[in-house]
Amino acid sequence: MATVNPPAIVILGPGALETARRVQHCYDGARVHALQGRVEGDVAFAELGAHLRALYASGTPIVALCAAGIVIRCVAPLLANKGAEPPVLALAEDGSAVVPLLGGLSGVNVMARAIGDALGIAPAITTSGELRFGTCLLNPPAGYALASLDQGKRFVSDLLAGEPTRVEGGAPWLDDVDLPRDAAARHAIRVSPHAWDGTREQLVIHPRSIVAAVGETRGQLAAKVNTALAAQGYAALALAALLAPASAMSDPAWARAADELGVPLRFVRGTDTAPNALLEACGLPTRFEADGVAFAVADAPIDPQMLGQARGKVSVLGLGPGRTDLLAPAARAALDDATDIVGYATYVDMAGPLRANQRRHATDNREELQRARHAFELAGEGRRVVVVSSGDPGVFAMAAAVLEALEASEDARWHAVELEIIPGISAGLATAALAGAPLGHDFCMLSLSDNLKPWAVIEKRLAHAAQADLVMAFYNPISRARPWQLDRALDIVRRYRTPQTRVVLGRDVGRPAQSLRHTTLGALRAEDVDMRTMVIVGSSTTRGFARSDGGEWVYTPRWYREDALPTNASLA
Ligand code: SAH
C-alpha cells in the first residue's frame, strides 16, 4: 500500500534545504523538519535522535537528509517490533542518492522510486522481490489485505527460486507486474474474501469486500461478527466496514467494536434500523444474516467512504504562541487528521502548511459564535473539523464559544458529534517563561476588552485583583477601537501598587518578531503596548536580578514575605 501519511523531511543544515523542498513537492502535506538554530524549516526540532524516534514511534514516514548510519543508529532502539514500521529513507543532502532503509511492507521502495524520479537518480533498492518483480507482492494496494505475512515471505522466496505462479481472482494492480506466470502453476496468488486454508503454495490476499451491519449493540459485537464470518468461511480481514444506525453515534460500544475489528464505523440515517435495512440504504443486498448481524459481500473492495457517514468530530485546539515546537503533539495530530480547518485567517495560516485536500474556512475575527456553529454543521456531516485559536483555546478564545453554541443548539446531529478540547500554551505563560517566572505565585488572567463585558465589571475586577496583590496578566490590553481603556486600568492598579512594581511586556512572543521588555508600573505608558502585547503586572513581591547574559530574570517567589529572600533551606 502506498504511504498514507505525508513524510517528515528531516534536515540538519541549510545545505539540505533545497533538496528537502524538492522532495516536499512530491508529497501533499509533507513538512520539512529542521534542526533548531541551524536552519529554518516548517517544524523545528532540538535533538535529532529523540526527534527521529518520536516520528518513527508515531508511524510517520521519514526522509532524513543525512548519513544512513546516523539514521539507523537513531531509530535502532525501536526496531524490535517489525510489525508497525513506517518507511525510513536516507537521502544525500545534494540529492545524489536515496536509500530505502526500513518499511519494506509500508511502501519504502515506492517512496524511493518516487523520490528518485523527482531528483533524476536511481534509487538504491535492495529488496530482492522488489528488484525482480518491480513491486512488493506482500504490500497490496488500499482495499486489499495480505492473509499471512509469514506465508507471503515463503511464497515470494519460492518465486525467487524459480517457481511460476497463477493469479486467481481480481488483482488489477498485478496486471503490469513482471511475474513468472503459468496457468498450470502449482503456486497461486489467490484474491478472495474466503479465509486462507493453509495451503503453502498460495499467497492469499483478501479484498475488503464484506460489510457487516448491526441494528443494536448487544453482547460482544466484534466477536459476533467474527464468529459469523468464520462460520461462512470468510476471512475477518475481508471486512471493509461496520454499519450502524445514526441514532447510535454517541454510543462508545460501536466505536470499540469497530476498533476491535480494525474497520471504519459508518452510520446510516433513517428510521428503519434493521440490519438488512442499513445495508439496503447503502445499496448493498444482504448475503447472509447471523445473530442479529447482516452481511453483504461484493465482488471487489468496497470503499467505506461510500457508505453512510462517519461520526463527525470537532477538535478545538490552541496553536500556542506561534512557534511550532510549542504546539502540543496532540494538537499537531488533530491538525494532520482534520478534513476542515476553521478559524481566524491568521491562525489558519499559522496551522499550516495544510494538505490540498484539507478545506480552509478562514473567517473574520469577530464572528466567533458563527464560526462555532459552522464547525458543528460540518462535523454533523461526518467531517473532522479543527477549530483553531492562538495560545490556549480556553483562554479568551474559541473553546467557550464552541460550548456556548452547542448548549444553545437542539440539533441532535450537533450533540452526536465527538468534541474534544486540546490545550495550548497561552500567551501569558509563554511571556512569563521568557521573562523568568513572574506567575510563580498566585495570579489572574484578565481581558481588558469590553467587547463582551461592561467596562464597569473590568474596573471592579482590576481593583479587587490589585487589592488582593495578585500578579495580573492582561490579554487584549488595547486596540484601535479601545484606545483609553488601558490607561484607566493602570490608574486603578496604581492605587494599590507602587511605581516600582515590575511589569513585563511580551510582544509577538513565539513568533519571528518576538520582543520582551521589562519596565515598571510607574514608567509604563499605553504607547508601549498594542494588541499583540501581553502585559504582566507583578505583585508586591515580584522581583528581578541580573542574568549572566546581560539581561534580567523576573520572578515572583513562591513564598509570601515581602521582606525576605529565600534561604538555601527554603529552596530545598
Ligand atoms: N487564546 C489566546 C489569547 C487570545 S486573546 C492565548 O491563550 O494566548 C488575544 C490577546 O492575547 C492579544 O491581544 C495579546 O494580548 C495576547 N497574545 C496572543 N498571542 C500573543 C503573542 N504571541 N505574544 C504576546 N501576546 C499575545
Side-chain angles (χ1 to χ4, degrees):
M1 201 197 302
T3 17
V4 185
N5 297 328
I9 303 161
V10 180
I11 60 173
L12 301 175
L17 190 58
E18 197 209 317
T19 307
R21 294 291 185 205
R22 286 170 71 191
V23 173
Q24 188 176 25
H25 284 306
C26 307
Y27 296 95
D28 196 15
R31 274 183 285 265
V32 174
H33 296 230
L35 182 59
Q36 217 170 309
R38 290 280 179 77
V39 53
E40 280 280 319
D42 307 315
V43 175
F45 66 88
E47 206 258 303
L48 180 68
H51 191 63
L52 289 183
R53 283 189 290 278
L55 289 169
Y56 187 88
S58 71
T60 308
I62 299 171
V63 179
L65 281 84
C66 62
I70 296 178
V71 185
I72 291 168
R73 253 186 271 281
C74 287
V75 296
L78 306 180
L79 295 187
N81 169 20
K82 198 170 176 224
E85 183 173 271
V88 179
L89 301 94
L91 176 59
E93 268 197 11
D94 62 0
S96 62
V98 57
V99 190
L101 297 173
L102 296 165
L105 297 175
S106 45
V108 75
N109 290 318
V110 177
M111 284 185 71
R113 285 183 212 280
I115 293 172
D117 280 351
L119 300 176
I121 53 171
I125 307 263
T126 55
T127 320
S128 35
E130 188 93 27
L131 284 172
R132 182 80 68 85
F133 310 124
T135 185
C136 176
L137 288 177
L138 305 182
N139 185 22
Y144 296 86
L146 184 67
S148 157
L149 180 56
D150 287 337
Q151 165 53 13
K153 285 181 184 162
R154 275 202 297 266
F155 183 90
V156 171
S157 358
D158 286 355
L159 257 55
L160 287 172
E163 289 289 340
T165 182
R166 298 173 281 135
V167 178
E168 278 179 25
W173 74 95
L174 292 178
D175 287 352
D176 300 326
V177 175
D178 190 15
L179 286 172
R181 285 173 205 257
D182 180 345
R186 215 153 41 94
H187 284 69
I189 297 174
R190 207 156 79 80
V191 182
S192 156
H194 288 282
W196 176 48
D197 63 7
T199 311
R200 276 197 54 148
E201 288 76 24
Q202 282 185 3
L203 176 72
V204 176
I205 293 170
H206 302 302
R208 293 192 173 273
S209 56
I210 303 179
V211 176
V214 193
E216 53 186 82
T217 47
R218 256 188 291 128
Q220 293 295 314
L221 198 50
K224 272 204 275 189
V225 170
N226 281 330
T227 308
L229 284 172
Q232 300 282 328
Y234 287 115
L237 282 171
L239 195 64
L242 180 64
L243 280 191
S247 53
M249 231 179 233
S250 325
D251 182 346
W254 302 83
R256 269 201 304 273
D259 232 37
E260 271 176 58
L261 291 165
V263 295
L265 175 61
R266 306 290 296 183
F267 295 96
V268 178
R269 295 202 183 274
T271 43
D272 192 348
T273 60
N276 55 358
L278 298 177
L279 288 175
E280 200 181 315
C282 298
L284 297 169
T286 299
R287 175 79 63 92
F288 62 97
E289 279 188 77
D291 206 3
V293 190
F295 292 87
V297 185
D299 298 332
I302 290 181
D303 178 0
Q305 306 274 10
M306 306 306 286
L307 310 172
Q309 67 160 89
R311 182 182 184 198
K313 185 172 177 180
V314 171
S315 305
V316 190
L317 60 84
L319 296 169
R323 249 167 57 188
T324 49
D325 60 339
L326 294 182
L327 174 73
R332 182 73 264 162
L335 282 167
D336 290 343
D337 187 49
T339 56
D340 297 75
I341 320 288
V342 173
Y344 180 43
T346 314
Y347 303 141
V348 176
D349 290 342
M350 219 165 99
L354 302 175
R355 296 189 303 275
N357 63 359
Q358 289 183 302
R359 289 201 217 148
R360 296 168 47 107
H361 307 269
T363 52
D364 180 73
N365 201 10
R366 285 168 182 256
E367 304 161 354
E368 281 164 356
L369 266 184
Q370 198 182 317
R371 214 184 287 152
R373 292 190 201 107
H374 187 43
F376 281 110
E377 291 292 346
L378 292 166
E381 293 162 16
R383 305 189 65 83
R384 293 185 304 280
V385 185
V386 154
V387 179
V388 290
S389 293
S390 75
D392 179 83
V395 178
F396 312 121
M398 283 303 294
V402 164
L403 291 173
E404 192 181 331
L406 182 59
E407 189 186 13
S409 166
E410 283 175 7
D411 190 330
R413 292 190 190 205
W414 290 23
H415 289 273
V417 159
E418 183 183 351
L419 174 62
E420 65 172 355
I421 321 277
I422 302 173
I425 297 176
S426 190
L429 306 182
T431 302
L434 275 186
L439 307 180
H441 195 71
D442 298 345
F443 68 94
C444 63
M445 291 173 167
L446 292 162
S447 168
L448 296 192
S449 166
D450 55 352
N451 286 339
L452 297 168
K453 61 185 166 186
W455 178 251
V457 170
I458 299 177
E459 289 203 349
K460 195 166 163 189
R461 286 192 184 153
L462 282 165
H464 283 302
Q467 215 168 356
D469 203 21
L470 292 171
V471 174
M472 288 179 262
F474 293 155
Y475 288 75
N476 300 310
I478 201 165
S479 76
R480 239 168 286 141
R482 298 180 286 105
W484 53 265
Q485 283 87 336
L486 180 61
D487 277 327
R488 284 283 302 144
L490 294 175
D491 284 347
I492 294 169
V493 178
R494 284 183 183 121
R495 282 186 219 145
Y496 305 91
R497 305 249 168 116
T498 66
Q500 292 76 41
T501 303
R502 314 294 314 225
V503 171
V504 169
L505 303 177
R507 186 171 189 275
D508 280 333
V509 170
R511 302 182 189 169
Q514 165 176 306
S515 75
L516 181 75
R517 271 182 67 184
H518 293 190
T519 178
T520 61
L521 188 58
L524 180 62
R525 296 286 166 266
E527 304 87 81
D528 303 331
V529 173
D530 66 5
M531 64 183 292
R532 284 148 68 181
T533 309
M534 182 73 233
V535 181
I536 299 180
V537 178
S539 70
S540 64
T541 63
T542 305
R543 53 195 301 124
F545 66 94
R547 294 168 58 133
S548 60
D549 63 5
E552 188 189 29
W553 287 119
V554 171
Y555 76 105
T556 307
R558 299 158 303 148
W559 40 266
Y560 203 78
R561 268 177 61 205
E562 287 170 60
D563 54 351
L565 273 168
T567 61
N568 286 342
S570 74
L571 277 177

